[in-house]
Amino acid sequence: VPDQVDRLVAAWRRERPDLDVEPLEVLSRLSRLARHLELARRAAFVELGLALWQFDVLTALRRAGPPYKLTPGDLLADTLVSSGTMTHRVDQMEAIGWVSRQADPADGRVVRVRLTASGRTVVDAAMDNLVARERRLLGTLTAAERADLARLLRRVLEPFDEELDAEPR
Amino acid sequence: VPDQVDRLVAAWRRERPDLDVEPLEVLSRLSRLARHLELARRAAFVELGLALWQFDVLTALRRAGPPYKLTPGDLLADTLVSSGTMTHRVDQMEAIGWVSRQADPADGRVVRVRLTASGRTVVDAAMDNLVARERRLLGTLTAAERADLARLLRRVLEPFDEELDAEPR
DNA sequence: CAAGATTGATTCTTCAATCTTC
DNA sequence: GAAGATTGAAGAATCAATCTTG
């Protein structure tokens, strides 16, 4: 049964027979799937009064463990956004009360972003919700297939992770 | 060798041992990879004076084949954005001269968005560029592995494609 | 009333410039 | 001067409301 990407690839082969579009079989599915996931996650979080970008910041802090503090710079690497974006995000979430800012006693340039108790409550609920839904989503695959998929994705992801240390944002 | 997602998953297991975060092995890699791809594509198109969202619209029209006409509604399904977004996009690109709007003679509610000659020139160049780079990106995988990856992604994507007919945007 | 497209308000992201501290 | 964070302006995505035609 052909899917949307099969149709897309067939269309390219018809319109640009000079181009070998084989890479799209993987990368176009990947982009579309990521976009669908984003839309689905956003819809699920609306009920919790939570925006997707807020969830991304909260989970980074939650994962860090007690005392739930990271610098804006740490958060950049986790969320892959620019530094200006992160400042704005922290502003908003500080106003809501999910995070707070603290000066770093050792280095005056650095700020600590700390997850508050209410922020932790929200992110734990959202994470329960998310993992449950995403498990359903992967239910069409066997455990072995999921492991295969994870392994292949890791291989493609490798070059990107390596260059992360070098790039400013 | 552990990657960023291995670290992320390990952190969750430490902080939320009550949660089974196995789905993240796949879905977190997928999201991160999609984000990296987006950033890389954006950087590549900057040299061509092309924004990512413009590329998405142009390719949908180019793939459609002569006479390179689609309705805004058609473009929604291809690009997974809202109807308001698409109107704004077509506005911008019409101002640049890459597309034009035409009324549908048969149905007054419908608009045809047509790719112009200059739009076609731009999209063909960008597509050459994109496919070449993405082929390099997948070079770490063998042909068999790429086929495996495409197959597995297709399986996960299936439920989303099916519900596409039902949803408004 | 439904379908298709548009509009305007709001929100988020980005970029480049700036400020502070090392 | 470099690192880390912030600022403000500009651009794009979204939502809900609206307009037009079937």
Side-chain angles (χ1 to χ4, degrees):
Chain A
V1 186
D3 69 355
Q4 293 262 98
V5 175
D6 285 324
R7 281 190 280 276
L8 180 150
V9 167
W12 277 121
R13 296 208 163 119
R14 186 183 65 238
E15 298 301 325
R16 292 286 311 270
D18 59 312
L19 250 189
D20 176 8
V21 293
E22 198 240 72
L24 299 187
E25 294 274 1
V26 167
L27 295 177
S28 186
R29 284 197 176 85
L30 198 134
S31 298
R32 283 187 74 85
L33 189 47
R35 177 67 176 153
H36 279 300
L37 272 175
E38 187 186 318
L39 292 171
R41 295 204 296 167
R42 182 191 307 170
F45 287 153
V46 159
E47 301 165 18
L48 301 173
L50 189 65
L52 206 47
W53 62 268
Q54 295 169 336
F55 178 75
D56 288 339
V57 177
L58 291 175
T59 49
L61 289 166
R62 180 66 179 83
R63 269 200 315 272
Y68 305 116
K69 288 182 191 173
L70 291 175
T71 70
D74 294 332
L75 291 169
L76 297 190
D78 267 330
T79 55
L80 301 178
V81 298
S82 67
S83 60
T85 299
M86 190 50 67
T87 295
H88 293 314
R89 287 183 174 187
V90 174
D91 285 347
Q92 297 276 331
M93 298 177 64
E94 195 173 25
I96 295 172
W98 287 337
V99 304
S100 64
R101 276 188 175 93
Q102 298 175 344
D104 184 313
D107 185 336
R109 296 170 302 180
V110 171
V111 169
R112 300 275 161 192
V113 180
R114 189 178 63 83
L115 184 64
T116 65
S118 76
R120 178 172 161 173
T121 302
V122 170
V123 69
D124 279 348
M127 192 67 187
D128 289 341
N129 188 315
L130 177 74
V131 174
R133 279 183 305 100
E134 302 207 329
R135 178 171 300 110
R136 250 172 278 139
L137 230 152
L138 293 175
T140 50
L141 302 184
T142 67
E145 286 173 326
R146 292 196 295 275
D148 269 1
L149 184 47
R151 181 181 57 81
L152 292 168
L153 289 173
R154 180 210 306 261
R155 297 263 305 278
V156 183
L157 199 45
E158 256 164 29
F160 289 111
D161 272 357
E162 281 165 18
E163 76 189 38
L164 252 193
D165 297 328
E167 284 178 68
R169 305 208 177 276
Chain B
V1 186
D3 68 355
Q4 294 262 96
V5 175
D6 285 324
R7 281 190 280 276
L8 180 150
V9 167
W12 277 121
R13 295 210 163 118
R14 186 182 64 238
E15 298 301 323
R16 291 287 312 268
D18 59 311
L19 250 188
D20 175 9
V21 294
E22 197 241 67
L24 298 187
E25 294 274 1
V26 167
L27 295 177
S28 186
R29 285 197 176 84
L30 198 134
S31 297
R32 284 188 73 86
L33 189 47
R35 177 68 176 152
H36 279 300
L37 272 176
E38 188 186 316
L39 293 171
R41 294 204 295 167
R42 183 190 307 171
F45 287 152
V46 158
E47 302 164 17
L48 301 173
L50 187 65
L52 205 48
W53 61 267
Q54 295 169 334
F55 178 75
D56 288 339
V57 176
L58 291 175
T59 48
L61 289 165
R62 179 65 181 83
R63 270 201 314 272
Y68 305 116
K69 287 182 191 172
L70 291 175
T71 70
D74 295 332
L75 291 168
L76 298 189
D78 267 330
T79 55
L80 301 177
V81 298
S82 66
S83 59
T85 298
M86 190 51 67
T87 296
H88 292 313
R89 287 183 173 188
V90 174
D91 285 347
Q92 297 275 332
M93 299 178 64
E94 195 172 25
I96 296 173
W98 288 337
V99 304
S100 64
R101 278 189 174 92
Q102 298 175 344
D104 184 313
D107 185 335
R109 295 170 303 180
V110 171
V111 169
R112 301 274 161 192
V113 179
R114 189 178 63 82
L115 184 65
T116 65
S118 76
R120 179 173 162 172
T121 302
V122 170
V123 69
D124 279 348
M127 191 67 187
D128 288 341
N129 188 314
L130 178 75
V131 173
R133 279 183 305 99
E134 301 207 329
R135 179 172 299 108
R136 250 172 277 139
L137 228 151
L138 293 175
T140 50
L141 302 184
T142 66
E145 285 174 326
R146 292 196 296 274
D148 268 0
L149 184 47
R151 181 182 58 81
L152 291 168
L153 289 173
R154 181 210 305 261
R155 297 261 308 276
V156 183
L157 199 44
E158 256 164 29
F160 289 111
D161 273 356
E162 281 165 17
E163 77 190 35
L164 253 193
D165 298 328
E167 285 179 66
R169 308 214 175 273

